[in-house]
Amino acid sequence: MLSLYVDPSTAGGLFHLNAYALTTLLCHLAYSVGMYLALSRGIADVNLQLLSTCFDLFFATAVAFITEGQTSASYVFFVFAIVATGSRAKSRPIVTVTFCSVALYLLVIVLTRGITSVYDMRAVYLAIAGYLIGFFSQQRALFEAEVRELETRAERQSIARFLHDGYVQALAGVNLRLESCRALLNRDRPQDALLEITDLQTGVAREYDAVRIYLRSLAGIDQGPTAERAARVSDPSFEVRAEFSGHSLLGEHILQIMLEGLRNSRSHGLANLVRIDVREADDKVSITIEDDGVGLADSSSRPWAIASRVAELEGHMSIHSDGSTRLQIELPNS
């Protein structure tokens, strides 16, 4: 509106707009404001998209017609209509809008000064622009599909790794502890077996809750207070000092214990700093995991994934929790 208002070549001279031009441009302004408000409020259904495309073509024709016709620079409004369609649709609607834009612009040329060999090329330029926009729109759709596929694969890999390192290991620990219970029963030690089963039941219940929380998080379901706690999961700093040697199986268990201790400090302890120290002395490997988190709600509760590995290796574990947590483990190195 401003460019036409200060254009000295318009009918009436500088600072003048005739009634038709002013009415057309005001209607276009009202349409633009209405579309902006609709989109800002999240209204973007198919009917609105179709309606906006029709209005884009209509106003492109009207503005080009009232602004010098075939010589008007406003024919780029047709390009805008093609671009707008290309940003939200596939190739067929772009071809349709391009065809309509070329036909309407040729109509503008005919109604103003007639067909000429000079400005007819503008319609060809519109067709070329439509072809290029359609091509890039198709390439964008292919690229977005490939990105979604890569994201899906990455999510699957993350879930598989999480299940393998977490719950699969936990199930392996359950199996080992059940084997220990059977051995205790074979040795006529039912009380020890009962204590082991009770501790195992507590650990299974804890892991069940963790699996349920994890599945609900995958489904995007609100966890209530648990979700609030999960949102507070920390990302602590850590210090690791380790010097030991032994068989590869022992090394694997020690590394898994260290990893599980770090996870517990982050997820449950809400710690800011975790210290892990592994030393070898007198045919034993001593592991100390200490953090400055909130500690354990129940001092008798044990991280059963770690406890199952310690039990399998016939080691010893003790826990000290008084505002922070210190986990002391001794494993035989033989």
Side-chain angles (χ1 to χ4, degrees):
M1 293 179 67
L2 180 62
S3 63
L4 293 181
Y5 187 65
V6 299
D7 185 3
S9 64
T10 57
L14 188 65
F15 305 115
H16 176 79
L17 283 177
N18 60 50
Y20 293 108
L22 182 61
T23 301
T24 301
L25 294 177
L26 286 176
C27 289
H28 185 242
L29 177 61
Y31 155 70
S32 302
V33 172
M35 284 298 302
Y36 171 78
L37 294 177
L39 293 175
S40 64
R41 295 179 180 179
I43 304 174
D45 59 8
V46 177
N47 294 328
L48 182 63
Q49 294 177 9
L50 179 61
L51 183 65
S52 66
T53 301
C54 295
F55 273 113
D56 287 338
L57 292 173
F58 170 77
F59 281 112
T61 305
V63 173
F65 184 77
I66 66 173
T67 56
E68 303 178 11
Q70 63 180 355
T71 63
S72 172
S74 299
Y75 87 101
V76 295
F77 279 102
F78 289 109
V79 180
F80 172 79
I82 299 172
V83 172
T85 303
S87 67
R88 61 175 181 261
K90 296 182 179 180
S91 57
R92 181 175 296 180
I94 299 174
V95 172
T96 302
V97 173
T98 301
F99 177 80
C100 293
S101 297
V102 172
L104 290 172
Y105 186 68
L106 289 174
L107 178 63
V108 171
I109 294 177
V110 171
L111 295 178
T112 51
R113 301 182 184 180
I115 297 294
T116 63
S117 60
V118 178
Y119 293 103
D120 295 349
M121 286 302 298
R122 286 191 170 188
V124 178
Y125 298 153
L126 281 178
I128 295 173
Y131 168 77
L132 293 176
I133 293 170
F135 172 77
F136 286 116
S137 177
Q138 184 180 22
Q139 294 302 310
R140 185 195 65 181
L142 294 175
F143 176 74
E144 290 178 348
E146 184 176 355
V147 169
R148 286 193 296 270
E149 178 65 22
L150 292 175
E151 290 177 345
T152 301
R153 291 181 183 178
E155 290 176 355
R156 289 176 178 174
Q157 289 288 339
S158 177
I159 293 172
R161 185 174 61 250
F162 186 85
L163 293 176
H164 177 270
D165 295 341
Y167 304 125
V168 171
Q169 299 296 330
L171 290 175
V174 170
N175 185 50
L176 291 173
R177 298 188 73 175
L178 288 175
E179 182 66 26
S180 299
C181 292
R182 186 172 67 174
L184 290 172
L185 291 174
N186 289 333
R187 297 172 189 172
D188 292 329
R189 296 168 58 185
Q191 293 299 324
D192 293 338
L194 180 60
L195 290 175
E196 187 74 10
I197 291 175
T198 302
D199 189 43
L200 179 60
Q201 184 180 14
T202 302
V204 170
R206 188 184 304 116
E207 290 298 320
Y208 168 76
D209 291 337
V211 172
R212 185 174 59 181
I213 293 172
Y214 180 64
L215 293 178
R216 290 172 68 88
S217 68
L218 289 179
I221 302 175
D222 186 18
Q223 302 290 335
T226 305
E228 180 181 355
R229 178 178 175 85
R232 294 166 49 216
V233 170
S234 61
D235 186 14
S237 302
F238 69 94
E239 298 176 2
V240 176
R241 294 185 297 271
E243 184 177 353
F244 64 96
S245 61
H247 297 292
S248 61
L249 182 60
L250 175 64
E252 180 180 346
H253 280 291
I254 292 175
L255 292 176
Q256 288 292 342
I257 289 172
M258 295 166 62
L259 179 60
E260 186 65 23
L262 185 60
R263 286 173 179 163
N264 289 339
S265 298
R266 181 180 68 244
S267 302
H268 305 296
L270 304 179
N272 295 314
L273 177 63
V274 184
R275 293 186 177 92
I276 302 177
D277 185 74
V278 184
R279 291 290 182 267
E280 179 184 5
D282 299 331
D283 295 329
K284 291 184 179 181
V285 177
S286 175
I287 305 173
T288 303
I289 303 174
E290 186 176 9
D291 65 53
D292 59 352
V294 298
L296 297 174
D298 182 3
S299 59
S300 63
S301 176
R302 299 191 300 169
W304 78 286
I306 296 178
S308 64
R309 294 184 181 276
V310 175
E312 179 186 356
L313 297 173
E314 298 181 354
H316 174 73
M317 181 177 68
S318 61
I319 299 176
H320 305 278
S321 181
D322 52 355
S324 61
T325 303
R326 179 183 176 89
L327 187 64
Q328 189 70 41
I329 300 171
E330 287 188 356
L331 301 175
N333 187 6
S334 58

